Amino acid sequence: MGFKTDFKDSKAMTFFIGAAAILFIINIFYSINLNRMIAVSLGLFISFALLNYLYEKNISKRLSIEVLNKEIRMYKNQIDVIRIKITQDGILPILDGQISLSAGDDIRFDHDISTGIRQHTITAIKFTVMPKSSIILEVPFRADSRGVSKIFKSEIRIPQIFGFDSIDLKQKGKIDHEIIIYPDRYAVHNEEMKNQMAQGTFMQKNALFSDPLMTTGTRGYLPRDNMRDIHWKASARTGELQTRIYEKTTKISWMILINLRSENSYAPPKNIEEIFEKLAFITARATQADIPYRIITNMVTFENHSFFRLDEGAGKLHYKRTLESLARLNTVTYTLDFERLLRHVQLHEETPTHIIFTGIADDAIKKELSAFNKKGASIFQLNDFGIVPFRIESDREAYT
């Protein structure tokens, strides 16, 4: 990416050029003998003015800037640096220049000078680069919120070597890079879910990691067994820990349905960012347990006129795609009613063993969810307390 000069008039340079022109004209037409020192000064000034003009015209022709780390992936609140390479392939140096960088406010530069500009973070760095050489600048920043950010504007101010004021260079073209900020899966509000899972009560109660309908029996507990597989009722009857035995053909799959609308508004829920952080946490646990899952939202994508989705998969690569999808989800965009998404899923998606949904469950949504329940899917709701079994017949549930 290169730069172009943003030309502007220099009042000081305009004054001296005007004075030199007047003296030159008077000397020619009125045969006034100028003082030798004035004549020498006039010659020097004209020379500097010419050199200044050439410097201004050519300084940006072979100047380029490049972001070396094209893609940065990180979690919210982590710290990293953007490595910027400035190259001057021309024969003119840049002495004590300053580059200012503007990026989206999903990140926050150290020494931010944006002075409250919305959706911007701005920083400025001094640098010097000699002819036919390059330098690398490291710009520290902090991931401020989930999303995708990038440098969308850069400007360089160069002091004039042979004249007055400075030269302003504007960015020409786009900078090829992205900063992808994942939701914070280690957020404080995930600790309760983590503790429940560690104790085994969460999994036993919700049966998210094993299908209780596929249990074939129990056996004595062994030290290598997972706490989530303990059959607590059988253990109470026998007085000894008993472990569930499952069918070898059991195939567990999750479908995560994200509602990006509030109860009576097109706006997203107030705690939508916490929802994303909880989803980052539970999909990490699904990855550890090798459970396949897919994610579908009621956000409409204009490219294929369908709902934004992540197809079913499992493993670490799928989890990486999950985090990127959660980072790219735009909460302020065009969405459809959640019940319309549920009807679409019923018609076009294979019924999973477990459905996890977010948001309010009004009567219309309950009606659609009951259809999945009749097909044998276990329904769960993600709310402020974690993931809880959803009772189709119950009154309106607490919402996320």
Side-chain angles (χ1 to χ4, degrees), residues 214-239:
M214 300 301 292
T215 303
T216 60
T218 61
R219 59 169 171 77
Y221 174 78
L222 298 175
R224 66 173 179 271
D225 292 339
N226 198 307
M227 291 293 290
R228 71 170 184 246
D229 295 329
I230 294 177
H231 195 303
W232 297 105
K233 290 184 179 180
S235 299
R237 287 197 303 267
T238 61

Side-chain angles (χ1 to χ4, degrees), residues 340-351:
R340 186 167 175 178
L341 169 64
L342 294 175
R343 287 194 294 270
H344 172 84
V345 169
Q346 289 181 46
L347 291 174
H348 302 286
E349 299 287 334
E350 180 182 353
T351 303

Side-chain angles (χ1 to χ4, degrees), residues 66-72 83 175-179:
E66 177 187 8
V67 176
L68 297 180
N69 37 355
K70 302 291 185 185
E71 186 177 81
I72 301 175
R83 300 178 68 244
I175 301 179
D176 180 25
H177 85 112
E178 270 189 338
I179 303 170

Side-chain angles (χ1 to χ4, degrees), residues 160-192:
Q160 291 273 21
I161 296 179
F162 305 105
F164 302 91
D165 294 333
S166 60
I167 303 170
D168 291 334
L169 305 179
K170 303 292 185 181
Q171 176 179 318
K172 183 173 62 176
K174 296 181 179 180
I175 301 179
D176 180 25
H177 85 112
E178 270 189 338
I179 303 170
I180 303 172
I181 304 167
Y182 299 148
D184 182 8
R185 60 179 176 179
Y186 301 113
V188 174
H189 45 256
N190 285 331
E191 284 300 314
E192 184 177 353

